[in-house]
Amino acid sequence: IDERGKEIIKALQSFEESKGLSVEVVCNALEEALVNAYQKSFSDEMFGSDERALARASVNPVTGEIKLFNQKRVVEEVEDDFFEISLEDAHETNPELNIGDLYEIPVSIDNFMRATAMHVKTVLKQKVREAEKEAIYNEYIDKKDEIISGIIEKVQEKFVLVNLGRVIAIMPSNQWVATENYRIGDSINVYVVDVVKDSKKSSPVLVSRNHPNFLRRVMEREINEIFDGTVEIRSIAREAGDRSKVAVWSTQPNVDATGACIGAKGVRIQSISQQLAGEKIDVILYDERPEFYVAEALKPSKVFGISLDEENKAMVAIVPNEDFSLAIGKKGQNARLAVKLTGWKIDIKTVDEALSQNIPFKTMNEIEREYNNVDVAVIEENPYDEVITHEEVVEEVKEEVAVEETVTEEVIEEVKEEVVAEEAPKAKAKTSIYESTIAYKGSSSLEERTSIEEKAQELATQAKVEEPKKEEV
């Protein structure tokens, strides 16, 4: 190996260490640069056109030897002696060549002019940059949709540069969390949104802190049930730095999906919140029934009823008057997150508004019964057929106290009056509930049905009369 070969080998090793490129990749880049420079030199000098000479270069990574060859096409009859050679002339030095093969003539690179050498340098830099981009792409494309750590290197008004090691990633301002402060030198976890192969921008790697999947990956790290697939994240709606809603679903019937995510005394969800600068996270249970899914998404407010429009994937959620502000949320945040989470258009109305606007809706209890295939339009028998009369009570009391022959008629009448006084309100209330139920089913007016339902609830409360003790009877 001569001195020039040693210098070339040293340069190849330097590329490998500083750029992370293999010697083979750099050798290929140098070969392309030499061929390109040779072709450009002869095209400009001899033809003044874009017509390119045929050439081949080889770089030996072991010895550092560089060879360059001018190539000519082997033909039967030569029309251009710069590009072609006859079969007879080619056989003088290489008898194995056939028509159509390439005949190679060694070219000394020592004869390259300074301008040509500069061109080789320029092309080599370009090829190395392309090879470096290819290597970076191959490394970071596998990290797409994952969280990686970096160091903040530069903070500007419209972007933050994050040093990931081999590459400087860019985080545009629309990927920031508004409540976070970014300082040069701080360690930071970022989500890899995209890796662009032929990027004309300053960095091929785009990272984010406010992407919904950033929260998904953090939850996968912190919650074993999500990591192993026992609990699935079905949807995420996020307003980074402030509040998020996460819909989860358990693949195992004996695993509480929301409980697994929240953890004992909220330990797990608090740990995740701390990693997101105190962002509040609502974990709700995913439901395949859209009405109940939307009702879950609108928590902490309660949903009284739903008016469904499947064709337009829209619904009106009816909430109690006192829960309207909870359903909307601060500056409409709760409603916005519910829409993002479920994918349904949601209009929120109070019960009073729904009744005054004659909006047809079903209560959540009615929807539940419909999903359970219960016919709510027909009542076959009195649901309160156990309402007892005072005569039956007296007979029961007689048996329990084992009335002897010495008990007088006056004592029996006295007991009878006491029992009737105890049981009358209860019997009356239960019978009234039954009558209200019949009236509710027979009514077609929404307002009338709502009024009857409220009355039935009051009667049910009255029916909860404490049973008289046997001793007192």
Side-chain angles (χ1 to χ4, degrees):
I1 304 176
D2 57 17
E3 290 299 322
R4 186 170 67 178
K6 291 180 180 179
E7 291 180 2
I8 291 174
I9 293 173
K10 185 178 179 180
L12 293 175
Q13 293 173 344
S14 176
F15 269 111
E16 187 174 25
E17 294 173 1
S18 62
K19 302 292 185 181
L21 301 174
S22 66
V23 172
E24 182 183 0
V25 170
V26 180
C27 286
N28 291 337
L30 180 56
E31 289 171 357
E32 288 186 41
L34 287 168
V35 169
N36 186 283
Y38 176 77
Q39 291 175 330
K40 186 176 187 305
S41 175
F42 275 91
S43 296
D44 292 345
E45 290 180 9
M46 301 184 64
F47 309 107
S49 66
D50 293 333
E51 191 172 4
R52 298 292 186 182
L54 298 176
R56 181 180 72 86
S58 68
V59 179
N60 190 321
V62 178
T63 64
E65 183 182 13
I66 299 176
K67 292 181 180 181
L68 182 63
F69 302 93
N70 177 35
Q71 296 177 320
K72 293 186 178 184
R73 185 75 60 185
V74 178
V75 296
E76 291 184 357
E77 186 176 345
V78 177
E79 295 181 359
D80 189 329
D81 59 359
F82 184 77
F83 292 100
E84 299 171 341
I85 186 173
S86 67
L87 181 62
E88 183 181 352
D89 291 341
H91 279 176
E92 291 181 1
T93 55
N94 190 348
E96 296 181 357
L97 292 176
N98 297 312
I99 300 296
D101 292 342
L102 293 173
Y103 178 81
E104 295 185 335
I105 304 170
V107 177
S108 174
I109 62 173
D110 295 333
N111 297 330
F112 271 24
M113 294 181 295
R114 180 176 178 81
T116 305
M118 291 299 295
H119 182 70
V120 171
K121 181 179 178 181
T122 302
V123 174
L124 178 60
K125 284 183 177 181
Q126 179 183 350
K127 296 298 180 182
V128 167
R129 280 197 299 269
E130 291 175 358
E132 190 176 10
K133 285 183 178 181
E134 181 76 19
I136 289 172
Y137 176 81
N138 292 334
E139 178 180 350
Y140 285 94
I141 191 62
D142 293 334
K143 297 178 181 179
K144 184 180 177 182
D145 298 328
E146 298 295 336
I147 292 178
I148 55 178
S149 299
I151 304 295
I152 296 178
E153 191 163 285
K154 191 175 184 179
V155 180
Q156 294 289 341
E157 183 180 353
K158 295 184 178 181
F159 63 87
V160 169
L161 297 182
V162 183
N163 190 335
L164 302 179
R166 287 197 58 192
V167 67
I168 305 296
I170 186 169
M171 183 168 67
S173 57
N174 61 357
Q175 300 296 328
W176 297 357
V177 176
T179 57
E180 292 180 339
N181 294 321
Y182 303 113
R183 295 184 296 269
I184 296 174
D186 285 356
S187 179
I188 188 173
N189 289 332
V190 291
Y191 173 78
V192 181
V193 178
D194 198 10
V195 182
V196 183
K197 190 171 186 179
D198 299 322
S199 175
K200 295 181 181 180
K201 297 181 180 180
S202 57
S203 174
V205 182
L206 177 67
V207 296
S208 172
R209 284 277 298 175
N210 66 10
H211 198 283
N213 282 345
F214 182 84
L215 174 56
R216 181 188 296 271
R217 294 291 178 254
V218 173
M219 293 184 72
E220 288 174 351
R221 283 184 175 187
E222 297 294 327
I223 302 171
N224 294 332
E225 288 82 355
I226 294 179
F227 182 78
D228 63 21
T230 304
V231 175
E232 296 178 354
I233 297 177
R234 290 299 183 91
S235 181
I236 295 177
R238 187 177 181 212
E239 292 191 358
D242 193 1
R243 189 178 179 185
S244 296
K245 285 182 180 285
V246 183
V248 295
W249 175 263
S250 175
T251 59
Q252 303 294 333
N254 59 337
V255 176
D256 179 9
T258 56
C261 294
I262 295 172
K265 297 182 180 179
V267 172
R268 286 181 169 180
I269 206 68
Q270 287 173 10
S271 174
I272 295 170
S273 178
Q274 288 172 2
Q275 296 182 47
L276 303 177
E279 184 175 317
K280 295 179 181 178
I281 304 168
D282 298 337
V283 181
I284 72 164
L285 185 63
Y286 173 81
D287 200 313
E288 294 180 347
R289 302 168 298 179
E291 299 95 334
F292 291 93
Y293 187 25
V294 168
E296 282 286 317
L298 287 173
K299 284 184 175 179
S301 70
K302 296 179 181 179
V303 175
F304 175 75
I306 294 288
S307 176
L308 186 65
D309 181 3
E310 284 191 87
E311 184 177 349
N312 297 313
K313 203 173 183 181
M315 63 176 71
V316 179
I318 313 301
V319 300
N321 297 345
E322 63 274 12
D323 278 8
F324 183 72
S325 59
L326 280 176
I328 297 296
K330 184 179 179 181
K331 298 180 180 179
Q333 184 183 65
N334 195 59
R336 284 197 308 273
L337 289 175
V339 170
K340 291 179 183 178
L341 188 74
T342 62
W344 283 76
K345 298 175 184 177
I346 305 172
D347 187 12
I348 301 173
K349 301 285 186 182
T350 64
V351 174
D352 287 349
E353 289 175 334
L355 294 175
S356 63
Q357 297 174 20
N358 293 322
I359 298 175
F361 69 90
K362 297 177 182 177
T363 66
M364 300 308 294
N365 288 336
E366 287 180 307
I367 296 170
E368 178 73 38
R369 289 194 292 266
E370 285 184 357
Y371 274 111
N372 293 333
N373 295 320
V374 176
D375 188 355
V376 299
V378 178
I379 300 178
E380 297 179 353
E381 59 184 18
N382 183 355
Y384 301 104
D385 56 3
E386 294 183 356
V387 175
I388 55 179
T389 62
H390 62 273
E391 290 83 2
E392 293 171 342
V393 174
V394 171
E395 291 300 324
E396 184 179 345
V397 172
K398 285 181 180 181
E399 293 176 3
E400 290 180 356
V401 299
V403 180
E404 299 179 358
E405 294 179 359
T406 55
V407 178
T408 63
E409 290 296 330
E410 290 79 4
V411 175
I412 294 176
E413 287 298 326
E414 185 179 345
V415 172
K416 179 177 177 180
E417 292 174 2
E418 291 179 358
V419 172
V420 170
E422 288 285 346
E423 294 296 329
K426 183 176 179 181
K428 181 180 179 181
K430 287 186 174 181
T431 304
S432 298
I433 293 173
Y434 172 62
E435 293 172 352
S436 297
T437 306
I438 296 298
Y440 179 82
K441 298 304 174 185
S443 174
S444 59
S445 168
L446 174 62
E447 184 174 356
E448 185 177 344
R449 290 179 67 168
T450 303
S451 175
I452 294 171
E453 190 175 46
E454 292 175 353
K455 183 177 180 181
Q457 290 176 353
E458 294 177 3
L459 292 170
T461 303
Q462 296 174 13
K464 294 179 181 179
V465 179
E466 184 179 358
E467 295 289 342
K469 295 181 180 180
K470 292 181 180 180
E471 295 81 4
E472 293 178 353
V473 173

